[in-house]
């Protein structure tokens, strides 16, 4: 690399990832400072910035989403009317699906959404970003945090990725080294399976003694439909077909404004059958007679996919330490029983902001906020909510029937379920995948479902609707540690599950007579929608997702 000098940016408070957690944290901190300075004899001035890898705020934001407004009510009590929700939740439906029938079920209390709002997370974070900027927070888009900076055991900031590096790893004429963004305290809200959070976890043992985090993948399309088909704010959740009883997950359908309808499916990434194909099952879900009727005559307009941390309270890593806090999905702030995480993510950012503010007011080093924040979380309503679902996901370790019993017992016992000692353990999701050449030879590929480009789409058609683009001439950001495993061992043992669990047709096994195995793994990195599924679900754990050049990736905006 050329020896161009690396820029250094010095800040007081750095948030990484412009999602709901970081933006709520940045807004809360800025407002606390403003209120303090209005009356304090000596004003406190802190430089606060948010780094975002997407081309703009919201470009990589994806969620269901039905939002519990509890955190927003605390954050913007005087501006609730201005928050760009789609609609308050109105009629709610819960279906048990078989292949042809939809049986209406009464909603359990955890799935009632009265008082919540259907939302586009992209629109919501854009609005929050404007609020943050108006409060003096700096937003830097197209900067991907690539490396955590640790000095004397304290997190000292992040190094962003270099720009202008070619496919071959050599600098191009536009080469620019990444920036060292140094801060007294760094708050990581990178989303699930964050690159920087993982580095910290490995370095500081943040997950020791916790359950391993387990994930699901959520796949979602937005449809534009003829008038009169549904009401804005009308929502459906479904269980059963096409996942039951093997897979954790279910369907969701949410009515937005302007005749737009969200359709999605969540599929646990802790499945046994290596032939599982979440994208295919999502497409199959739409062929149910009820969905077919709902979507008839419509047009699929947007697509996206994202991993979801489902492990709950026991799978949350140590949330803070010297100079850092983990926020939102990076800290496992998701209540899988309620299918909600946005309000918890926001609350995590706000709690971390309060820790930073308390340190600033007391004249202590801001790095100490990372030690205060976990205790603040433990005393918060976010912890109380997550405690109620602490053993929910673990029920799926032994399949759907056991999970239902566990969920029922959990509802009666304040979340204990059948965890006699109050904690159910669980293994990592990727270890549950069974080898085809070992115990269960009866696993078969899922029945095919040809694309018709009206209701059923293949991966490439969907990726097109995600607006994904990347600089083509850059190193592949999916790093496979040993490609020989893919073309030999993995073919026999798991039939290359990456070609199925990736929702964006990134991985292909193609013939190649120049290779000893006669085939090779082709990585179509520019299709990647940054869902992190491959990093999570690969049974050999040899795939590492690293941030590509800043600005690349999906352009969700409305999802
Ligand atoms: Fe998701 Fe990995 Fe596929 Fe990218 S390559 S879309 S991160 S599964």
């Amino acid at each position: 690399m050329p020896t161009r000098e690396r820029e250094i940016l010095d800040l007081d408070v750095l948030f990484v990832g412009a999602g709901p957690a970081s933006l709520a944290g940045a807004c809360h901190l800025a407002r606390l400072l403003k209120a303090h300075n209005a009356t304090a004899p000596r004003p406190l001035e802190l430089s606060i910035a948010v780094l975002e890898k997407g081309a703009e705020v919201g470009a990589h934001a994806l969620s269901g989403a039905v939002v519990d407004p509890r955190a927003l009510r605390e954050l913007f009590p005087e501006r609730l009317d201005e928050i760009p929700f789609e609609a308050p939740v109105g009629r709610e439906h819960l279906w048990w699906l078989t292949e042809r029938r939809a049986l209406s079920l009464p909603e359990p209390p955890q799935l009632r959404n009265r008082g919540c709002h259907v939302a586009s997370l992209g629109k919501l974070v854009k609005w929050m970003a404007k609020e943050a900027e108006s409060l003096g927070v700096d937003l830097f888009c197209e900067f991907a945090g690539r490396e955590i900076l640790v000095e004397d055991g304290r997190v000292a900031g992040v190094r962003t990725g270099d720009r202008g590096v070619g496919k071959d790893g050599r600098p191009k004429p536009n080469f620019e080294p990444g920036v060292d963004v140094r801060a007294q305290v760094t708050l990581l809200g990178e989303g699930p399976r964050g690159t920087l959070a993982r580095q910290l976890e490995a370095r500081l043992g943040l997950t020791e003694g916790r359950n391993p985090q387990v994930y699901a993948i959520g796949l979602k399309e937005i449809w534009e439909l003829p008038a009169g088909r549904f009401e804005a704010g009308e929502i459906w959740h479904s269980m059963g077909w096409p996942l039951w009883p093997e897979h954790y997950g279910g369907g969701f359908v949410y009515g937005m404004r302007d005749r737009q309808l969200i359709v999605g499916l969540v599929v646990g990434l802790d499945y046994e059958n290596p032939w599982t194909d979440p994208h295919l099952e999502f497409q199959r879900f739409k062929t149910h007679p009820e969905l077919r009727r709902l979507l008839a005559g419509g047009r699929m307009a947007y697509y996206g996919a994202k991993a979801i941390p489902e492990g709950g309270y026991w799978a949350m890593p140590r949330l803070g330490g010297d100079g850092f806090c983990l926020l939102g999905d990076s800290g496992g702030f998701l209540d899988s029983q309620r299918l909600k995480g946005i309000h918890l993510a926001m609350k995590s950012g706000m709690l971390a902001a309060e820790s930073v503010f308390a340190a600033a007011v007391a004249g202590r080093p801001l790095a100490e906020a990372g030690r205060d924040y976990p205790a603040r979380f433990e005393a918060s309503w976010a912890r109380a909510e997550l405690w109620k679902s602490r053993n929910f996901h673990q029920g799926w370790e032994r399949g759907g029937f056991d999970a239902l019993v566990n969920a029922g017992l959990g509802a009666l016992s304040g979340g204990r379920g059948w965890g006699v000692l109050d904690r159910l353990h669980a293994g990592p999701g990727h270890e549950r995948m069974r080898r085809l050449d070992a115990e269960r030879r009866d696993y078969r590929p899922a029945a095919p479902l040809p694309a018709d480009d009206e209701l059923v789409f293949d991966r490439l058609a969907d990726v097109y609707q995600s607006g994904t683009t990347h600089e083509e001439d850059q190193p592949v950001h999916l790093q496979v540690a040993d490609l020989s495993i893919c073309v030999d061992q993995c073919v026999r043992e798991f039939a290359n599950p990456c070609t199925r669990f990736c929702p964006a047709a990134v991985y292909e096994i193609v013939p190649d007579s120049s290779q000893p195995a006669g085939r090779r793994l082709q990585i179509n990195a520019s299709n990647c929608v940054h869902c992190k599924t491959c990093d999570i679900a690969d049974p050999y754990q040899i795939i590492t997702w690293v941030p590509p050049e800043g600005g690349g990736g999906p352009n969700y905006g409305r999802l």
Side-chain angles (χ1 to χ4, degrees), residues 477-559:
H477 70 279
L478 292 316
Q479 299 178 344
V480 182
D482 184 349
L483 286 164
S484 70
I485 289 180
C486 309
V487 292
D488 184 8
Q489 190 180 350
C490 188
V491 175
R492 279 185 282 110
E493 293 184 338
F494 298 104
N496 297 114
C498 61
T499 60
R500 293 178 292 280
F501 58 56
C502 171
V506 169
Y507 299 100
E508 282 182 88
I509 298 291
V510 296
D512 187 340
S513 54
S514 70
Q515 300 295 316
R519 57 193 166 220
R520 68 183 163 82
L521 179 71
Q522 178 168 296
I523 302 176
N524 307 310
S526 55
N527 289 353
C528 176
V529 295
H530 297 200
C531 72
K532 316 279 181 71
T533 298
C534 51
D535 190 303
I536 294 161
D538 162 38
Y540 302 99
Q541 292 291 283
I542 55 171
I543 301 177
T544 304
W545 185 97
V546 298
E549 195 168 296
N555 184 11
Y556 289 147
R558 291 189 64 84
L559 283 111

Side-chain angles (χ1 to χ4, degrees), residues 58 103 119 145 199 204 224 339 441 461 532:
L103 181 67
Q199 290 172 13
L204 304 179
E224 292 169 351
L339 316 174
R441 287 174 183 276
K532 316 279 181 71

Side-chain angles (χ1 to χ4, degrees), residues 148-180:
I148 196 89
L149 302 174
V150 181
E151 290 169 4
D152 302 326
R154 180 183 80 79
V155 171
V158 306
R159 176 166 293 174
T160 65
D162 296 339
R163 293 164 179 277
V165 179
K167 247 185 188 26
D168 54 5
R170 294 154 74 114
K172 299 187 287 188
N174 62 343
F175 175 78
E176 281 176 34
V179 179
D180 277 0

Side-chain angles (χ1 to χ4, degrees), residues 186-501:
T186 303
L187 304 102
L188 300 178
E190 301 169 280
R193 200 78 160 189
T195 298
L196 304 170
R198 296 264 288 161
Q199 290 172 13
L200 264 187
E201 281 164 16
R203 204 158 166 161
L204 304 179
L206 302 182
T207 54
E208 273 168 24
R210 312 296 296 174
N211 284 0
Q213 185 56 271
V214 284
Y215 297 87
I217 177 173
L219 304 105
K220 167 177 171 179
E221 292 171 350
I222 294 183
W223 281 65
E224 292 169 351
L225 290 169
R229 201 61 69 77
F230 62 90
E231 290 164 17
E234 188 169 7
I235 65 172
W236 292 256
H237 288 113
S238 79
M239 301 188 293
W241 186 87
L243 303 176
W244 181 263
E246 271 188 42
H247 298 102
Y248 171 81
F252 58 95
V253 180
Y254 302 151
M256 302 171 82
R257 279 194 295 224
D258 304 327
R259 296 182 286 106
Q260 291 192 323
L261 189 71
I262 294 163
V263 186
L265 188 73
V266 170
V267 182
L269 291 174
D270 46 359
Y271 53 79
E272 292 185 1
N273 183 350
W275 292 109
T276 300
D277 184 332
H279 182 269
L280 180 68
E281 298 311 328
F282 172 43
Q283 298 304 314
R284 201 185 310 282
F285 172 61
K286 293 184 295 172
T287 66
H288 189 278
E290 290 291 342
L291 271 293
R292 203 182 267 281
R293 182 187 56 73
L294 206 51
L295 299 175
R299 183 184 84 88
M300 191 270 285
Y302 303 96
Y303 168 78
K306 173 185 176 282
I308 306 165
E310 300 274 2
Y313 178 81
W314 295 122
M316 295 172 85
R318 177 153 64 85
L319 292 173
D322 263 0
F324 75 95
C325 303
L326 299 182
L327 313 180
D329 282 356
S330 297
F333 282 83
L334 187 120
D335 182 350
S336 56
Q337 191 168 232
R338 286 189 71 206
L339 316 174
K340 286 189 180 35
I342 293 171
H343 67 299
L344 294 167
M346 289 178 178
K347 185 65 179 175
S348 72
M350 292 164 67
L351 291 166
E354 287 163 20
S355 294
V356 175
F357 178 69
V361 169
R364 289 185 277 115
L366 299 189
E368 287 185 12
R371 283 190 248 146
D372 176 64
Y373 162 61
R376 247 172 231 275
F377 160 64
E378 286 293 328
S380 70
W381 58 253
R383 193 268 192 193
E385 179 177 334
L386 286 164
W387 184 247
K388 284 189 206 153
S389 58
R390 62 194 178 280
N391 286 325
F392 173 75
H393 188 86
Q394 294 93 309
W396 284 87
E397 286 274 296
R398 286 183 287 183
F401 293 104
D402 287 18
L404 283 186
V405 175
N406 183 50
L409 288 173
L412 295 172
S413 62
R416 185 184 290 256
W418 58 46
V420 178
L421 298 176
D422 227 347
R423 174 175 173 184
L424 281 178
H425 291 265
H430 69 270
E431 286 185 3
R432 296 193 68 210
M433 196 183 287
R434 300 296 162 97
R435 285 168 38 176
L436 289 167
D437 64 350
E439 319 134 59
R440 293 275 298 265
R441 287 174 183 276
D442 54 334
Y443 286 133
R444 293 275 179 276
L449 182 66
D452 59 13
D453 294 328
E454 285 185 5
L455 179 67
V456 174
F457 301 92
D458 64 19
R459 285 169 166 77
L460 289 179
D462 263 336
V463 169
Y464 180 76
Q465 300 296 59
S466 71
T468 299
T469 55
H470 289 89
E471 163 63 50
E472 294 282 339
D473 186 13
Q474 65 171 309
V476 171
H477 70 279
L478 292 316
Q479 299 178 344
V480 182
D482 184 349
L483 286 164
S484 70
I485 289 180
C486 309
V487 292
D488 184 8
Q489 190 180 350
C490 188
V491 175
R492 279 185 282 110
E493 293 184 338
F494 298 104
N496 297 114
C498 61
T499 60
R500 293 178 292 280
F501 58 56

